[in-house]
Amino acid sequence: MTPTLTRPELTAADRCDRCGAAAQVRAVLPSGGELLFCGHHARKHNQRLVELAAQLQQNA
């Protein structure tokens, strides 16, 4: 059986990589890297993230 790695839920300590606001979205890139975005920057960059086939994890 192959183990599956899971990423932790976003917390209040997670900050947007663009502006430092509270992170609401984690974008996991196909290369394995990840970016954290506030709601504003997640909406602004959504189309490009979809084009890159990023997996988006929203804060609940």
Side-chain angles (χ1 to χ4, degrees):
M1 181 189 288
T2 304
T4 302
L5 298 177
T6 59
R7 296 183 189 270
E9 294 293 320
L10 294 171
T11 69
D14 293 312
R15 310 313 284 176
C16 176
D17 289 328
R18 296 291 296 166
C19 68
Q24 297 296 316
V25 175
R26 174 183 284 125
V28 181
L29 304 173
S31 64
E34 70 177 35
L35 297 167
L36 300 178
F37 292 111
C38 63
H40 165 79
H41 284 110
R43 287 186 298 276
K44 182 176 180 179
H45 297 292
N46 185 61
Q47 182 61 38
R48 183 65 178 138
L49 293 169
V50 170
E51 291 171 7
L52 292 171
Q55 294 179 1
L56 301 178
Q57 173 190 353
Q58 302 243 343
N59 195 12

